[in-house]
Amino acid sequence: VCTQQEPLPCKSLPKTLLFQLLGLSIATLSTVTHYGLHFTLISNISLDGNSYRVIHYRAFYFGICLSMTLILAALLSSAATVRESQCLTAMGFFCFALAFCGLIPAACWRYTHSTEVEDSMMDVYDFVYEEVRRNTSSFRRHELADIHKAFLCCGKHSPFGDKTNIEHKTCPPGQVRDAGQDCLQKIQDFLKKHMDFIFSFLGITIGFMVYGMILTSFLWFSIHFSSNLDRKGKYTLR
């Protein structure tokens, strides 16, 4: 229970709880992205030469490691606040700095490779579509139908005359060919919105990492110089 004699933990513990919630949010977002229908479908279909499967798994593991690092930093900061431990405070600062150093390259990669994920997903659809066009394999036709059903699209703009036959066999039942949306455009729009959301979330997380490093630095100096609001030596007998 927080009392007037314990002002520092009362003010710091809610902030560390915020960092724990942020870490759980990152873990949830990574899990949803990794196991979501649209992403797992493309990942299972993609070939070894396509870069999407590698990006798919790396993004998941990066998100999980980031969330664990952030939760650990929040727990260490909480323990350091309660026990007034310089060692725990330094470890918390190190975890925040480690997460910050991981987020900056991730944000830079998203900026410099802004279309790589979109292009790799569209390449998967192009490959499956052309395989169905050249061959009547039921396996590839089933994969193409799954993509159409997941993204609610139908075919793509193509100069080949057998496009209508492909659409009739693989588009969702009841979907009119003229009303079907181009799958390449649909995939690009879907992934662009998702990546923009993740990029915005990364920016917010970077801001919190800077705040966490400043908070733990202030806590370390406060403990080091014994100036934590004149609390030392004050006790209440109950």
Side-chain angles (χ1 to χ4, degrees):
V1 179
C2 294
T3 63
Q4 292 182 352
Q5 285 76 23
E6 298 173 330
L8 188 58
C10 288
K11 293 181 179 179
S12 300
L13 290 179
K15 297 181 178 64
T16 58
L17 179 61
L18 179 63
F19 286 113
Q20 294 179 33
L21 293 176
L22 182 61
L24 292 176
S25 300
I26 295 175
T28 302
L29 179 61
S30 302
T31 303
V32 170
T33 301
H34 183 74
Y35 293 103
L37 174 62
H38 302 81
F39 302 101
T40 54
L41 180 62
I42 298 297
S43 178
N44 293 333
I45 297 175
S46 63
L47 300 178
D48 294 335
N50 191 282
S51 62
Y52 175 77
R53 184 176 296 178
V54 177
I55 298 173
H56 182 74
Y57 282 97
R58 285 183 178 178
F60 172 70
Y61 294 128
F62 173 79
I64 295 300
C65 292
L66 177 62
S67 65
M68 293 175 63
T69 303
L70 188 54
I71 293 174
L72 178 61
L75 293 176
L76 289 173
S77 300
S78 300
T81 303
V82 174
R83 301 182 59 181
E84 299 185 8
S85 171
Q86 289 181 267
C87 180
L88 292 177
T89 306
M91 292 174 63
F93 176 86
F94 175 77
C95 289
F96 282 122
L98 183 64
F100 178 80
C101 293
L103 284 168
I104 294 299
C108 293
W109 183 90
R110 175 65 183 115
Y111 181 77
T112 56
H113 299 77
S114 57
T115 61
E116 183 172 343
V117 181
E118 292 92 333
D119 292 342
S120 60
M121 287 189 73
M122 290 189 292
D123 287 342
V124 173
Y125 179 81
D126 270 331
F127 169 76
V128 176
Y129 187 90
E130 294 302 321
E131 283 291 311
V132 174
R133 187 183 64 82
R134 290 192 297 264
N135 190 359
T136 58
S137 172
S138 60
F139 178 70
R140 291 300 180 188
R141 188 165 62 246
H142 179 70
E143 291 179 340
L144 187 62
D146 289 339
I147 296 177
H148 289 164
K149 183 178 179 180
F151 287 92
L152 298 179
C153 58
C154 187
K156 67 175 185 176
H157 296 298
S158 174
F160 299 103
D162 57 349
K163 174 187 175 184
T164 304
N165 187 38
I166 296 175
E167 290 181 347
H168 280 314
K169 292 181 179 179
T170 60
C171 286
Q175 185 172 355
V176 182
R177 183 179 72 88
D178 295 335
Q181 301 188 44
D182 181 78
C183 280
L184 294 179
Q185 186 64 42
K186 191 75 173 180
I187 292 173
Q188 186 178 25
D189 293 342
F190 167 81
L191 196 57
K192 186 177 183 301
K193 292 179 181 178
H194 188 78
M195 295 300 292
D196 288 343
F197 174 77
I198 292 180
F199 187 71
S200 301
F201 195 73
L202 282 178
I204 295 173
T205 307
I206 290 174
F208 274 103
M209 293 305 97
V210 175
Y211 175 71
M213 289 188 291
I214 295 175
L215 183 66
T216 50
S217 299
F218 171 78
L219 180 62
W220 189 90
F221 282 108
S222 177
I223 297 173
H224 179 72
F225 292 109
S226 301
S227 60
N228 48 354
L229 303 179
D230 297 326
R231 290 181 54 244
K232 283 200 170 185
K234 290 189 176 182
Y235 301 91
T236 302
L237 184 61
R238 296 180 180 179

